[in-house]
Amino acid sequence: MKNIIEKIKRKDNIAVFILFFLISLGISLNIYLESNDEIWNFQNVYKMYNGFKIYEEINVIITPLFFWIAEGIFHLLGANLCIFRISHCAFMSILFLMTYKILKKLKIPKTLSLLAVLVICLQEFFLMIRTSFNYNNMALLFFVIGTYYLINEKTRKNILIQSIITILIILTKQNIGIYYLLGSIIYLSISKKDIKNKLIEIFKYIGVVLLGGIIFVLYLIMDNNLYNFFNYTLGGILEFANENLNFESSAIVFMIGIITINIGMSIFFIKKNFLTEKQIENIKILLIFSIMLSIVCYPIFNWTHIIIGTYLMIINVVYMVYLVFEDFKEGITKILKVVNGVIIFAMIIFSCYNLNVWVKSITNNDYPYSWEYPFFGGMLGREEYEENEKVVKYIEENEKNVIVFSNRAALYMVPLKRNNGDFDLPFKGNLGIEGEDGLIEKVDNMKNVQFLIYKNEDESIYQESEKVKEHVKNTKKYVGEIAGFEIYE
């Protein structure tokens, strides 16, 4: 009987994974090629694939696990944007599957669990899917997996599992890992055990995490990369926080609302006595870790970060709402099945439509990229392609080293397989401990070089270093223009 139940569970999980993979596929692939987070992450992974060394030659400010995994996928399956996006679909499908498994572990009926995941997937019109492959979503996946193992009574007390998950999160994105670490310590400290046993568990947990950290540091030392790692991941942290503070008002309103509901309902349920001990424990877990995860929103309070930061809060609110209306679950099951069916049908149709548009585009005789080209799979118009190629050809044929000092640099340096280090992503907070002044010094010391500065200020990113850009304009000679860029040397 147990074997039959396990087979049913496995089929259920496989079906959910396939469902969300199909939903993600068309939406993720049918995206235009432009300068954004996707291309910046792709650029760094592609540099590593071509032999450039993370931290030493590439200004990555995040711990390396995402980049290692993505590089490994490139070596295994191919190095282009299509593979990058399909990998994203797979990871997002695992994230949604683990969310579904958490909700089921909370004893929420399958129909309501599936509806909740569908709604999360739909947030801001598939925003998490459209952000494409990145370290934030991967860290969130590990965060959700860790929460699942805490909710699962069989693995709740397994310190080793939680330690390994913490290490994985820290290696994926250091700040999210620290938040998970702090959440785990808080959770262990409020357990019902005596102080001695609490301290023993906390020391065991921290000890394993520290051991993982020591092994990683030793690896960096052996790789002669320790200083470079700390220079980028910690050196620019204050500049990043101070210079990149950003708000989206609608996202802030949503965040304040969900935080208020999450904390208010949690306190109410924990103080009341009509829930079982297990249900109260589940709420405590979700409350602690959802609050810690919400800190990820700082300093960039936009929809992308806030959807990630409030992910566990949504799960907790869904759980508590279910507990309120648990007695009515039989009456609404049939309605939920119909609602799920309609939503799934609409999402699949939408994804298939986008997939069809994408397939027609890349199989069209006018499509410029082959499988071997790094941007294969990216959508773009003929005019944009010709403008990009004009700049690429100019750089390739120039006797001088041409630096595109713009957020658009990846569009030209990736096809050329070139690396200009900090100059390829000249963002405040991405420049190490010396910051903008250090980059200005590099500009002054460079010989036989040209700088391309994009003329259209409306397309500049607020993170770009205007200070360095103005220094180039003021100290270098203007010699012409090409494809929207001013040329200085």
Side-chain angles (χ1 to χ4, degrees), residues 222-237:
M222 293 173 64
D223 196 38
N224 295 316
N225 216 1
L226 183 64
Y227 170 78
N228 300 315
F229 169 79
F230 283 111
N231 180 44
Y232 283 112
T233 59
L234 294 178
I237 192 168

Side-chain angles (χ1 to χ4, degrees), residues 21 31 129 145 159 196 239 266 332 372 413 470:
F21 185 81
I31 296 177
I129 295 174
I145 290 172
I159 297 297
K196 180 182 177 182
E239 184 179 60
S266 296
I332 63 172
E372 293 76 20
M413 294 304 163
E470 288 303 313

Side-chain angles (χ1 to χ4, degrees), residues 10-22:
R10 283 197 293 270
K11 288 182 180 179
D12 185 35
N13 293 337
I14 292 170
V16 170
F17 174 85
I18 292 173
L19 168 65
F20 284 103
F21 185 81
L22 292 175

Side-chain angles (χ1 to χ4, degrees), residues 358-377:
W358 178 77
V359 170
K360 283 184 176 180
S361 296
I362 67 163
T363 55
N364 190 294
N365 291 333
D366 291 334
Y367 187 72
Y369 301 140
S370 64
W371 175 263
E372 293 76 20
Y373 200 86
F375 289 150
F376 173 81

Side-chain angles (χ1 to χ4, degrees), residues 18-24 26-27 126 341-355:
I18 292 173
L19 168 65
F20 284 103
F21 185 81
L22 292 175
I23 290 171
S24 302
I27 298 166
F126 305 108
V342 171
I343 294 175
I344 290 170
F345 179 76
M347 291 170 80
I348 291 291
I349 291 297
F350 181 73
S351 181
C352 287
Y353 169 78
N354 279 275
L355 186 61

